[in-house]
Amino acid sequence: MADDTGPGLRDGFGRAVTYVRLSVTDRCDFRCVYCMPERMRFLPRAEVLSLEELARLGQAFVACGVRKLRLTGGEPLVRRDVMGLARALGGLIGQGLEELTLTTNGSQLGRYAAELYAAGVRRVNVSVDSLRPERFAAITRRGRLASVLEGIEAAAAAGLQVKLNTVALRGVNDDEFDDLLAWCGVRGFDLCLIETMPMGEVDEDRTDRYLPLDAVRADLARRWSLTPMGFRSGGPARYDFVGETGTRLGFITPMTHNFCESCNRVRVTCTGQLYLCLGQDDQVDLRGVLREGGDVVAAIRAAMARKPRGHDFVIGRDQKPAVARTMSLTGG
Ligand code: SAM
Ligand code: SF4
């Protein structure tokens, strides 16, 4: 239970850590080209934390003063009984936890939207890289756009606030940003564009796909009234207010603008490895502490001193990914 007795988490650079992204599985029903190789090898189940262990970790973070938890993956909604975890963590809302959210590819949202709302979730991020069925199928290698759109509709109907996340891919979906913005605009959804990050070996060269978002924003600003907002969602996105739609357009630009100075987050993999930075390899094994009956709260507090100043992402031809693990393992 949330029995916070000490101060909140703070790293060696004075940054308060109030946000944890918890990956509940490395598995996924899609194989997005920039995220995973076609023949992705998933982890043996014994390595993956049980739902009960994941709940204990979430509770320990809240006991340390963490105010926001995001469930992610892999695809969090393909994990069996994940709703039990959502309910357990949702039960912490009002006891230290302010928000429980989810990042999903949307394929199972139709099934779970109402249950997520009942568990206390109020906002979901849905990743949609294209609104054209064939292109969507090609990017995800096995996704069906219609199911995702049904899922999004179900989420909105259940009362969940939806934000769309789109990875900007040169030569793949760079002719669709206007359509995505308009589509989100009429539905009242915010849209966030993301630069592709060099994480894990995939089957293609990311150099060909990398699209700096400064140029994308400048181009969009010729057709849309974009006004920079001071608004930060506690994350790396910089937002514009879109005059025509009344919604927000965010840009996550780890490559062109390093966002590390305001970083308030850490990530935990589904194997219980605490990563202090998305773009660095340093990790702390919380699974060992959990399984050996150690003091998880103390381990989390001690780990904060190891949070690095920032990432070293570079995208270049013949360059190895900055980190060997894929985003699906660290949890986006
Ligand atoms: N499966 C869920 C989804 O797709 O939303 C949650 C996990 S996914 C790893 C989280 C986010 O990371 C998605 O928005 C996805 O597009 C993004 N992502 C995955 N690999 C990436 C990469 N190499 N660079 C940038 N974004 C990436
Ligand atoms: Fe799965 Fe999300 Fe990675 Fe796509 S981005 S393969 S949906 S984990």
Side-chain angles (χ1 to χ4, degrees), residues 81-326:
D81 299 331
V82 69
M83 284 305 127
L85 176 66
R87 283 190 293 273
L89 297 176
L92 301 173
I93 295 172
Q95 301 183 48
L97 185 65
E98 290 171 7
E99 192 177 30
L100 176 66
T101 58
L102 178 85
T103 298
T104 173
N105 66 22
S107 68
Q108 314 296 315
L109 256 185
R111 213 165 123 201
Y112 289 126
E115 279 185 77
L116 285 167
Y117 189 91
V121 175
R122 292 293 175 268
R123 298 195 299 148
V124 290
N125 287 357
V126 188
S127 305
V128 179
D129 298 326
S130 173
L131 291 170
R132 303 185 193 172
E134 283 176 19
R135 184 180 282 182
F136 183 87
I139 296 172
T140 59
R141 292 202 184 99
R142 55 196 69 181
R144 216 171 65 83
L145 180 64
S147 332
V148 172
L149 298 186
E150 281 163 30
I152 291 175
E153 211 173 290
L160 296 169
Q161 196 182 321
V162 176
K163 185 179 80 166
L164 245 62
N165 279 342
T166 301
V167 177
L169 301 162
R170 180 191 296 281
V172 177
N173 63 359
D174 49 357
D175 55 353
E176 262 195 79
F177 303 142
D178 290 279
D179 291 351
L180 280 156
L181 189 50
W183 190 89
C184 285
V186 294
R187 290 163 179 79
F189 301 160
D190 292 340
L191 170 68
C192 212
L193 300 178
I194 306 173
E195 288 177 351
T196 174
M197 294 171 234
M199 300 190 61
E201 298 277 4
V202 288
D203 300 325
E204 56 175 41
D205 186 345
R206 286 197 181 87
T207 323
D208 298 331
R209 298 283 167 247
Y210 170 59
L211 186 59
L213 289 180
D214 279 2
V216 172
R217 185 188 179 282
D219 178 55
L220 286 170
R222 290 199 270 144
R223 293 174 299 284
W224 302 86
S225 328
L226 304 183
T227 313
M229 304 172 77
F231 173 79
R232 308 279 295 226
S233 61
R238 290 172 303 139
Y239 282 92
D240 283 303
F241 179 77
V242 186
E244 290 77 2
T245 60
T247 54
R248 289 187 288 238
L249 173 62
F251 296 90
I252 298 188
T253 55
M255 309 305 295
T256 48
H257 296 277
N258 184 306
F259 46 59
C260 304
E261 74 285 350
S262 59
C263 185
N264 64 349
R265 62 199 52 202
V266 293
R267 295 170 163 84
V268 183
T269 67
C270 60
T271 61
Q273 304 308 303
L274 169 63
Y275 280 96
L276 287 315
C277 172
L278 181 62
Q280 301 282 1
D281 281 323
D282 198 19
Q283 57 182 286
V284 175
D285 177 24
L286 296 180
R287 182 182 63 190
V289 182
L290 268 175
R291 293 192 174 167
E292 284 151 27
D295 184 340
V296 183
V297 167
I300 292 170
R301 287 196 184 283
M304 290 305 119
R306 286 166 64 175
K307 189 167 166 61
R309 186 184 286 276
H311 67 69
D312 305 318
F313 286 148
V314 194
I315 287 194
R317 214 168 281 285
D318 303 325
Q319 193 126 21
K320 284 236 155 271
V323 291
R325 61 187 188 278
T326 60

Side-chain angles (χ1 to χ4, degrees), residues 28-32 34-36 73-75 105 127 328:
C28 188
D29 50 345
F30 292 1
R31 296 287 183 281
C32 300
Y34 52 80
C35 179
M36 292 185 189
E75 174 45 43
N105 66 22
S127 305
S328 61

